[in-house]
């Protein structure tokens, strides 16, 4: 039987981000995907038109239903929609026996709020202590720590501060900085992951694919420090070969090769 991975995130009807991106990424890594929906959006490659969070008890019931029958080997969260949903997930995550990757999605690529600002405290106090990995981008790390980030030094300071909130590891993604992107990991020790910048507008769902790829690798039994570069290679290939769909910021190529598919 293939390993199972669970995504707890919002729905993107354009298929480029959210649970749709997560499930495509899981499948490409040879991992069976389960999906718990937290919110529904109306969006495309240009904009997010509407965001509707689900009832927190419905989110909890979805999680309990899949875990009781087909428990995953790893799970991730994405857009969560409300403090009440964050708290409902955290209550269950405190008892998870598998690693949880938290992608603290605050704002969409189109600058639409996917988690109210007042819910950020619940994220930090309730969910981060349940996480095997928290992986914010630069704006999210700044919002969650109050640190202005201009380079790798501030990224590491922010990673340490988030680590002190209880996460077992923190990966601050550096794609928003100028130059070639560098991600900074802190899990008690610091590490950097570098790659050349790819010049393309088609980066919709990059963060979702990245966190889903790490989750898939963890489900396959990889150590975190092996999972991160494997996930990065997949995302880089998916960006480089993006199919050019949509007239705005289009999706990645979810058929890109993975360490598993390329042998």
């Amino acid at each position: 039987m293939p390993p199972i991975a669970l995504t707890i995130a919002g729905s993107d009807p354009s298929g480029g981000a959210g649970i749709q991106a997560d499930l495509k990424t899981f499948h490409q890594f040879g991992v069976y995907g389960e999906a718990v929906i937290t919110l529904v959006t109306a969006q495309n490659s240009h904009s997010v038109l509407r965001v509707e969070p689900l009832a927190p008890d419905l989110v909890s019931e979805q999680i309990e239903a899949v875990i009781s029958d087909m428990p995953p080997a790893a799970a991730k969260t994405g857009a969560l929609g409300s403090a009440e949903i964050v708290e409902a997930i955290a209550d269950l995550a405190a008892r998870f026996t598998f690693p949880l990757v938290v992608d603290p999605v605050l704002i969409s690529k189109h600058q639409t709020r996917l988690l109210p600002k007042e819910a950020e405290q619940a994220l930090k106090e309730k969910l981060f202590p349940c996480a095997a990995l928290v992986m914010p981008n630069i704006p999210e790390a700044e919002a969650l720590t109050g640190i202005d980030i201009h380079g790798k030094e501030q990224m590491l300071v922010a990673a340490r501060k988030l680590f002190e909130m209880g996460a077992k590891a923190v990966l601050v993604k550096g794609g928003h900085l100028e130059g070639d992107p560098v991600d900074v990991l802190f899990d008690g020790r610091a590490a950097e992951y570098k790659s050349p910048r790819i010049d393309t507008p088609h980066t919709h769902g990059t963060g979702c694919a990245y966190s889903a790829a790490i989750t898939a690798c963890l489900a396959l039994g990889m150590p975190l420090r092996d999972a991160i570069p494997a996930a990065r290679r997949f995302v880089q290939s998916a960006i480089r070969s993006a199919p050019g769909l949509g007239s705005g910021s289009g999706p990645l190529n979810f058929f890109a090769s993975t360490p598993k598919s390329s042998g």
Side-chain angles (χ1 to χ4, degrees):
M1 294 184 293
I4 298 171
L6 168 65
T7 173
I8 305 169
S11 172
D12 172 10
S14 75
I19 59 165
Q20 288 84 349
D22 294 343
L23 290 174
K24 292 172 187 177
T25 302
F26 290 165
H27 184 84
Q28 196 65 2
F29 275 82
V31 173
Y32 181 84
E34 300 175 326
V36 167
I37 299 174
T38 57
L39 57 86
V40 176
T41 68
Q43 65 175 294
N44 55 29
S45 66
H46 285 287
S47 61
V48 177
L49 306 171
R50 185 173 176 179
V51 179
E52 289 288 341
L54 273 63
D57 63 331
L58 179 55
V59 174
S60 295
E61 287 176 21
Q62 291 180 76
I63 296 171
E64 290 170 331
V66 295
I67 288 178
S68 66
D69 185 39
M70 295 185 290
K76 64 153 287 189
T77 63
L80 300 182
S82 72
E84 293 79 11
I85 291 175
V86 172
E87 291 169 358
I89 293 168
D91 286 345
L92 294 172
R95 302 190 296 275
F96 285 174
T97 58
F98 44 85
L100 176 67
V101 175
V102 174
D103 182 4
V105 179
L106 304 182
I107 300 173
S108 76
K109 186 174 291 293
H110 307 299
Q111 302 305 305
T112 299
R113 265 273 167 188
L114 296 176
L115 186 73
K117 190 167 183 61
E118 59 270 20
E120 292 175 10
Q121 199 64 27
L123 199 66
K124 293 187 287 186
E125 293 182 358
K126 303 286 188 179
L127 194 57
F128 286 2
C130 303
L133 176 67
V134 173
M135 47 184 304
N137 59 29
I138 295 290
E140 290 162 350
E142 290 180 327
L144 293 165
T145 65
I147 296 169
D148 291 329
I149 298 175
H150 306 289
K152 292 186 295 183
E153 296 79 8
Q154 294 85 17
M155 290 171 69
L156 181 56
V157 172
R160 285 177 178 270
K161 187 168 183 177
L162 292 168
F163 179 80
E164 290 169 358
M165 295 176 190
K168 293 183 177 64
V170 177
L171 182 70
V172 178
K173 300 174 289 185
H176 285 78
L177 297 178
E178 294 184 0
D180 290 339
V182 179
D183 297 344
V184 174
L185 173 72
F186 187 77
D187 59 1
R189 296 181 296 126
E192 295 180 7
Y193 303 89
K194 303 178 182 179
S195 60
R197 185 174 295 279
I198 300 167
D199 184 17
T200 175
H202 298 295
T203 57
H204 181 56
T206 301
C208 300
Y210 192 7
S211 58
I214 291 175
T215 305
C217 289
L218 294 177
L220 289 165
M222 288 188 191
L224 178 62
R225 284 186 173 234
D226 293 335
I228 292 171
R232 283 176 61 86
R233 288 193 295 272
F234 168 72
V235 173
Q236 289 161 15
S237 177
I239 294 173
R240 189 177 296 111
S241 58
L245 300 174
S247 53
S249 178
L252 314 184
N253 172 25
F254 290 99
F255 294 104
S257 63
T258 66
K260 185 177 179 67
S261 62
S262 61

